[in-house]
Amino acid sequence: MQRIHENALEPFTTATKRGIFRYPVERRIFSRSKHSEHHIKMIEVVCNDRLGKKVRVKCNSEDTIGDLKKLIAAQTGTRWDKIVLKKWYTIFKDHVSLGDYEIHDGMNLELYYQ
């Protein structure tokens, strides 16, 4: 059962020298279990090294890039710290999650080796 917090329905009002401003407050939904508050979604990411190796990996959207590299390394047989993941010219950092980079289900990433 989910309930909406009472203050989530009212806008936040601030008074400054220039006037009164109203900011919308995001709605926060509280539930009984702690894991249902976050939307953990299982996604499938396709990594292609353009040398004949194409890997499909299933992971969570909250996993980090380092976790994804470890899953790729388990399938390909390479060391995870030698793997570089890119999308165009963006090199993905190990400590950032897939959701923060907006990596969604079925997305293709470029796989390079150091």
Side-chain angles (χ1 to χ4, degrees), residues 27-80:
R27 294 177 186 257
R28 296 182 182 162
I29 297 176
F30 300 99
S31 60
R32 302 263 182 224
S33 70
K34 73 176 187 185
H35 291 294
S36 63
E37 197 171 311
H38 302 285
H39 299 289
I40 299 174
K41 188 176 175 185
M42 195 72 141
I43 61 173
E44 185 177 54
V45 180
V46 180
C47 299
N48 191 359
D49 67 349
R50 296 184 293 171
L51 297 172
K53 194 177 290 184
K54 193 172 192 179
V55 182
R56 299 172 77 186
V57 180
K58 288 193 180 275
C59 56
N60 290 326
S61 60
E62 292 184 350
D63 288 344
T64 61
I65 295 291
D67 296 336
L68 178 62
K69 285 183 181 181
K70 290 174 186 174
L71 292 171
I72 293 168
Q75 285 194 12
T76 60
T78 59
R79 293 177 46 190
W80 72 272

